Short mmCIF file of all heavy atoms in Angstrom, two decimals:
data_model
loop_
_atom_site.label_atom_id
_atom_site.label_comp_id
_atom_site.label_asym_id
_atom_site.label_seq_id
_atom_site.Cartn_x
_atom_site.Cartn_y
_atom_site.Cartn_z
N TYR A 1 94.16 137.72 77.63
CA TYR A 1 94.19 137.38 79.09
C TYR A 1 94.60 138.64 79.88
O TYR A 1 95.56 139.24 79.45
CB TYR A 1 95.06 136.20 79.38
CG TYR A 1 94.43 134.83 79.15
CD1 TYR A 1 94.53 134.19 77.95
CD2 TYR A 1 93.66 134.19 80.26
CE1 TYR A 1 93.87 132.97 77.75
CE2 TYR A 1 93.09 132.98 80.00
CZ TYR A 1 93.17 132.35 78.76
OH TYR A 1 92.60 131.18 78.54
N THR A 2 93.91 138.87 80.99
CA THR A 2 94.39 139.84 81.95
C THR A 2 94.78 139.15 83.22
O THR A 2 94.68 137.97 83.35
CB THR A 2 93.25 140.82 82.21
OG1 THR A 2 92.11 140.21 82.78
CG2 THR A 2 92.72 141.49 80.91
N LEU A 3 95.36 139.98 84.19
CA LEU A 3 95.72 139.39 85.44
C LEU A 3 94.53 138.82 86.19
O LEU A 3 94.57 137.78 86.76
CB LEU A 3 96.42 140.45 86.31
CG LEU A 3 97.83 140.93 85.76
CD1 LEU A 3 98.34 142.06 86.66
CD2 LEU A 3 98.74 139.78 85.70
N ALA A 4 93.32 139.52 86.03
CA ALA A 4 92.19 139.04 86.73
C ALA A 4 91.66 137.73 86.15
O ALA A 4 91.39 136.76 86.79
CB ALA A 4 91.06 140.12 86.64
N SER A 5 91.60 137.65 84.73
CA SER A 5 91.14 136.43 84.12
C SER A 5 92.19 135.26 84.31
O SER A 5 91.73 134.17 84.42
CB SER A 5 90.94 136.69 82.57
OG SER A 5 92.18 137.08 82.01
N ALA A 6 93.40 135.65 84.40
CA ALA A 6 94.47 134.62 84.66
C ALA A 6 94.24 134.02 86.08
O ALA A 6 94.32 132.84 86.29
CB ALA A 6 95.81 135.16 84.53
N ARG A 7 93.94 134.85 87.01
CA ARG A 7 93.66 134.32 88.39
C ARG A 7 92.40 133.54 88.50
O ARG A 7 92.34 132.46 89.17
CB ARG A 7 93.60 135.51 89.37
CG ARG A 7 94.89 136.32 89.55
CD ARG A 7 94.77 137.25 90.82
NE ARG A 7 94.58 136.43 92.05
CZ ARG A 7 94.20 136.98 93.15
NH1 ARG A 7 94.05 138.29 93.29
NH2 ARG A 7 94.00 136.14 94.26
N GLU A 8 91.39 133.93 87.69
CA GLU A 8 90.20 133.13 87.67
C GLU A 8 90.43 131.75 87.08
O GLU A 8 89.98 130.72 87.67
CB GLU A 8 89.06 133.84 86.85
CG GLU A 8 88.62 135.14 87.53
CD GLU A 8 87.55 135.85 86.63
OE1 GLU A 8 87.34 135.35 85.54
OE2 GLU A 8 87.13 136.99 87.04
N GLU A 9 91.11 131.67 86.00
CA GLU A 9 91.46 130.39 85.44
C GLU A 9 92.38 129.57 86.27
O GLU A 9 92.23 128.32 86.35
CB GLU A 9 92.03 130.55 83.96
CG GLU A 9 92.35 129.30 83.32
CD GLU A 9 92.52 129.48 81.82
OE1 GLU A 9 92.12 130.52 81.32
OE2 GLU A 9 92.99 128.54 81.12
N LEU A 10 93.32 130.24 87.00
CA LEU A 10 94.18 129.55 87.95
C LEU A 10 93.39 128.96 89.09
O LEU A 10 93.73 127.86 89.65
CB LEU A 10 95.25 130.48 88.36
CG LEU A 10 96.57 129.85 88.96
CD1 LEU A 10 97.16 128.81 87.99
CD2 LEU A 10 97.56 130.85 89.33
N ASP A 11 92.36 129.65 89.56
CA ASP A 11 91.56 129.21 90.65
C ASP A 11 90.83 127.89 90.21
O ASP A 11 90.75 126.91 90.99
CB ASP A 11 90.50 130.29 91.13
CG ASP A 11 89.71 129.82 92.29
OD1 ASP A 11 90.32 129.49 93.36
OD2 ASP A 11 88.49 129.76 92.12
N ILE A 12 90.33 127.89 89.02
CA ILE A 12 89.61 126.66 88.46
C ILE A 12 90.63 125.55 88.35
O ILE A 12 90.36 124.36 88.65
CB ILE A 12 88.99 126.93 87.16
CG1 ILE A 12 87.86 128.07 87.29
CG2 ILE A 12 88.34 125.70 86.54
CD1 ILE A 12 87.26 128.48 86.03
N ALA A 13 91.88 125.87 87.86
CA ALA A 13 92.93 124.79 87.69
C ALA A 13 93.24 124.22 89.02
O ALA A 13 93.50 122.98 89.13
CB ALA A 13 94.12 125.40 86.95
N ARG A 14 93.41 125.07 90.09
CA ARG A 14 93.76 124.52 91.45
C ARG A 14 92.67 123.57 91.92
O ARG A 14 92.98 122.48 92.48
CB ARG A 14 93.97 125.60 92.44
CG ARG A 14 95.27 126.29 92.25
CD ARG A 14 95.68 127.26 93.39
NE ARG A 14 94.92 128.54 93.27
CZ ARG A 14 93.91 128.80 94.09
NH1 ARG A 14 93.42 127.98 94.96
NH2 ARG A 14 93.23 129.97 93.90
N LYS A 15 91.40 123.91 91.75
CA LYS A 15 90.33 123.02 92.19
C LYS A 15 90.23 121.79 91.31
O LYS A 15 90.03 120.70 91.87
CB LYS A 15 89.02 123.79 92.07
CG LYS A 15 88.85 124.97 93.05
CD LYS A 15 87.58 125.69 92.85
CE LYS A 15 87.48 126.89 93.81
NZ LYS A 15 86.25 127.68 93.62
N ASN A 16 90.50 121.95 89.97
CA ASN A 16 90.38 120.77 89.16
C ASN A 16 91.55 119.75 89.42
O ASN A 16 91.30 118.54 89.22
CB ASN A 16 90.50 121.30 87.68
CG ASN A 16 90.16 120.14 86.71
OD1 ASN A 16 89.36 119.34 86.92
ND2 ASN A 16 90.87 120.10 85.59
N ARG A 17 92.72 120.23 89.83
CA ARG A 17 93.84 119.31 89.98
C ARG A 17 94.06 119.04 91.50
O ARG A 17 95.02 118.30 91.82
CB ARG A 17 95.08 119.88 89.38
CG ARG A 17 94.94 120.20 87.85
CD ARG A 17 94.66 118.92 87.15
NE ARG A 17 94.46 119.19 85.70
CZ ARG A 17 94.10 118.26 84.77
NH1 ARG A 17 93.97 117.01 85.21
NH2 ARG A 17 93.94 118.60 83.47
N GLY A 18 93.29 119.61 92.41
CA GLY A 18 93.43 119.36 93.77
C GLY A 18 94.74 119.91 94.33
O GLY A 18 95.38 119.32 95.21
N ALA A 19 95.17 121.11 93.81
CA ALA A 19 96.38 121.74 94.23
C ALA A 19 96.14 122.87 95.09
O ALA A 19 95.18 123.55 95.09
CB ALA A 19 97.22 122.17 92.95
N GLY A 20 97.10 123.09 96.02
CA GLY A 20 97.01 124.22 96.95
C GLY A 20 97.56 125.45 96.43
O GLY A 20 97.15 126.57 96.75
N ILE A 21 98.56 125.46 95.54
CA ILE A 21 99.27 126.61 94.91
C ILE A 21 99.20 126.47 93.43
O ILE A 21 99.30 125.40 92.87
CB ILE A 21 100.72 126.63 95.38
CG1 ILE A 21 100.81 126.65 96.93
CG2 ILE A 21 101.40 127.87 94.79
CD1 ILE A 21 100.19 127.85 97.59
N GLY A 22 99.00 127.60 92.79
CA GLY A 22 98.93 127.67 91.29
C GLY A 22 99.93 128.60 90.74
O GLY A 22 100.18 129.74 91.30
N VAL A 23 100.52 128.27 89.63
CA VAL A 23 101.43 129.10 88.91
C VAL A 23 100.93 129.30 87.48
O VAL A 23 100.72 128.29 86.72
CB VAL A 23 102.84 128.48 88.88
CG1 VAL A 23 103.79 129.38 88.11
CG2 VAL A 23 103.43 128.31 90.25
N PHE A 24 100.72 130.56 87.06
CA PHE A 24 100.16 130.85 85.68
C PHE A 24 101.39 131.47 84.87
O PHE A 24 101.98 132.51 85.37
CB PHE A 24 99.05 131.85 85.76
CG PHE A 24 98.26 132.02 84.50
CD1 PHE A 24 97.11 131.27 84.32
CD2 PHE A 24 98.72 132.77 83.47
CE1 PHE A 24 96.35 131.41 83.17
CE2 PHE A 24 98.03 132.91 82.31
CZ PHE A 24 96.79 132.19 82.16
N VAL A 25 101.72 130.87 83.81
CA VAL A 25 102.93 131.24 83.01
C VAL A 25 102.42 131.85 81.77
O VAL A 25 101.83 131.23 80.93
CB VAL A 25 103.84 130.07 82.74
CG1 VAL A 25 105.08 130.59 81.95
CG2 VAL A 25 104.24 129.35 84.04
N PHE A 26 102.66 133.20 81.60
CA PHE A 26 102.38 133.89 80.38
C PHE A 26 103.46 133.85 79.34
O PHE A 26 104.69 133.85 79.80
CB PHE A 26 102.02 135.38 80.70
CG PHE A 26 100.69 135.68 80.99
CD1 PHE A 26 100.32 136.06 82.29
CD2 PHE A 26 99.64 135.62 80.08
CE1 PHE A 26 99.01 136.32 82.61
CE2 PHE A 26 98.34 135.92 80.37
CZ PHE A 26 98.00 136.30 81.61
N SER A 27 103.25 133.73 78.09
CA SER A 27 104.25 133.99 77.10
C SER A 27 104.72 135.44 77.18
O SER A 27 103.79 136.35 77.34
CB SER A 27 103.78 133.67 75.74
OG SER A 27 104.70 134.10 74.71
N LYS A 28 105.99 135.71 77.12
CA LYS A 28 106.47 137.12 77.23
C LYS A 28 105.82 138.05 76.19
O LYS A 28 105.53 139.15 76.54
CB LYS A 28 108.01 137.06 77.02
CG LYS A 28 108.68 138.38 77.26
CD LYS A 28 108.62 138.85 78.66
CE LYS A 28 109.40 140.19 78.83
NZ LYS A 28 109.35 140.69 80.18
N ARG A 29 105.52 137.44 75.04
CA ARG A 29 104.99 138.32 73.91
C ARG A 29 103.51 138.62 74.14
O ARG A 29 103.01 139.54 73.64
CB ARG A 29 105.26 137.68 72.63
CG ARG A 29 106.73 137.73 72.17
CD ARG A 29 106.95 136.93 70.91
NE ARG A 29 106.86 135.50 71.16
CZ ARG A 29 106.97 134.55 70.21
NH1 ARG A 29 107.17 134.89 69.00
NH2 ARG A 29 106.88 133.30 70.59
N MET A 30 102.85 137.70 74.90
CA MET A 30 101.40 137.83 75.05
C MET A 30 101.03 138.31 76.43
O MET A 30 99.86 138.35 76.75
CB MET A 30 100.67 136.48 74.73
CG MET A 30 100.93 135.98 73.33
SD MET A 30 100.23 137.12 72.14
CE MET A 30 100.63 136.21 70.53
N ALA A 31 102.04 138.58 77.29
CA ALA A 31 101.75 138.94 78.69
C ALA A 31 101.01 140.30 78.71
O ALA A 31 101.30 141.20 77.94
CB ALA A 31 103.02 139.05 79.52
#
């Protein structure tokens, strides 16, 4: 995952859950 792909997946997650704000949590070792 990159920052760009994380934002893309977070955009889908916000639409899928009807949320206005999204938080993407990376594992420290995989960030």
Side-chain angles (χ1 to χ4, degrees):
Y1 278 90
T2 62
L3 293 177
S5 60
R7 292 194 62 193
E8 292 176 1
E9 184 160 344
L10 197 57
D11 182 59
I12 298 174
R14 283 192 285 104
K15 294 177 181 179
N16 189 37
R17 302 300 176 183
I21 304 297
V23 178
F24 196 98
V25 183
F26 272 109
S27 172
K28 183 69 174 178
R29 289 173 288 179
M30 299 297 181

